[in-house]
Amino acid sequence: MTAQLRAFVNLVTRTPAGRVIVELIGQAQTDPDLSAAFLARYSRPCRDLAVERMRTAQAHGQLCAGIDPEVLVDQLWGACYHRLLMPTPPLAEEFAANLVTNLMARSPAFRLTGRTGPEWTDGGSGPRQGGPRG
């Protein structure tokens, strides 16, 4: 999860695509057609992918079964989007790592089960460049 969230932060803070994403989110607030297109082509597919990755982790015993994958995605990526859109303090990869650490270390419901797989390590393999975004 940490690698996926860090990849997302890198995408939106260090690439030209990140600036475009911010602009599209802003414009989508007042343009219903753009909002629908952004959700259909970008945000919803990325969010669905992230939720599916969490469910896969649960199925493999890597993440506690009691965790709601949709809420977990909203907690992690939602906090990043908040910092992206309200950049004080700024969004940084260290923040992304701390989000995961805080969730996993501070709440028994969010503990890892101890069994791991390569897609859930910090080895950098995530669903795709930038990770889930939405």
Side-chain angles (χ1 to χ4, degrees):
M1 279 187 279
T2 303
Q4 293 171 15
L5 209 55
R6 282 179 181 250
F8 169 72
V9 170
N10 183 60
L11 173 77
V12 297
T13 61
R14 296 185 181 160
T15 70
R19 189 72 235 153
V20 172
I21 291 168
V22 171
E23 297 290 332
L24 287 172
I25 291 170
Q27 188 62 37
Q29 303 311 300
T30 58
D31 183 333
D33 293 333
L34 177 60
S35 179
F38 184 79
L39 286 172
R41 294 188 179 124
Y42 178 78
S43 183
R44 190 173 299 121
C46 290
R47 186 175 189 284
D48 289 348
L49 179 63
V51 170
E52 183 55 35
R53 298 290 281 185
M54 299 301 166
R55 288 188 176 129
T56 299
Q58 285 176 319
H60 288 114
Q62 298 165 328
L63 199 57
C64 291
I67 294 173
D68 182 329
E70 293 191 28
V71 172
L72 181 58
V73 167
D74 289 343
Q75 286 176 301
L76 295 173
W77 278 268
C80 290
Y81 274 113
H82 176 77
R83 283 217 178 166
L84 180 66
L85 298 172
M86 306 294 219
T88 303
L91 178 58
E93 287 184 38
E94 181 180 350
F95 174 72
N98 288 339
L99 283 172
V100 175
T101 298
N102 283 346
L103 277 175
M104 297 300 171
R106 308 277 191 265
S107 174
F110 288 99
R111 68 174 167 73
L112 290 173
T113 63
R115 291 184 8 208
T116 60
E119 71 271 18
W120 296 102
T121 68
D122 279 344
S125 76
R128 63 176 122 151
Q129 172 63 29
R133 298 175 284 260

